[in-house]
Amino acid sequence: MTAVQQAGKQGKVLVYSFDATPDIVAALKSGTVAALLAQAPRKLGAEAVQDLVTALKAGKSGAALKPASPQSSSVPTLVLAKDNVNSAAAGDYLYKSTCD
């Protein structure tokens, strides 16, 4: 994004990004970014914590946890663009700047 701006190529080079952090969403709304591939951060975090809880319960003996095989999970994604970023459906895909 910055490189495109510094090169004076805004409007000539389309910028796409991953994740919907507040600063990138602002760039999407302003037209600096064309689209985002967003994941559901709350779901991703919840699944990661559940994987950790499962590992901790498996090692109740108090011994150090041994690395397990990688966990696999499916986190939904959504392509966000200027026309849908404010929709109700986009809400679960936007990173929050505060906890609520």
Side-chain angles (χ1 to χ4, degrees):
M1 200 167 53
T2 302
V4 171
Q5 291 169 334
Q6 289 176 348
K9 299 289 185 178
Q10 279 184 276
K12 297 175 186 168
V13 175
L14 296 176
V15 176
Y16 296 88
S17 188
F18 180 76
D19 278 344
T21 58
D23 56 333
I24 298 296
V25 170
L28 176 69
K29 290 179 179 180
S30 74
T32 304
V33 170
L36 307 172
L37 178 61
Q39 58 188 348
R42 186 173 288 173
K43 180 174 170 114
L44 180 65
E47 288 187 15
V49 169
Q50 185 56 51
D51 289 344
L52 178 59
V53 168
T54 300
L56 290 171
K57 285 181 177 178
K60 284 185 178 181
S61 66
L65 293 176
K66 294 181 182 176
S69 60
Q71 299 295 317
S72 177
S73 61
S74 176
V75 176
T77 59
L78 178 67
V79 175
L80 297 176
K82 204 171 185 177
D83 64 344
N84 72 343
V85 70
N86 292 320
S87 70
D92 287 341
Y93 296 85
L94 303 174
Y95 281 77
K96 310 293 186 223
S97 57
T98 60
C99 296
D100 50 3

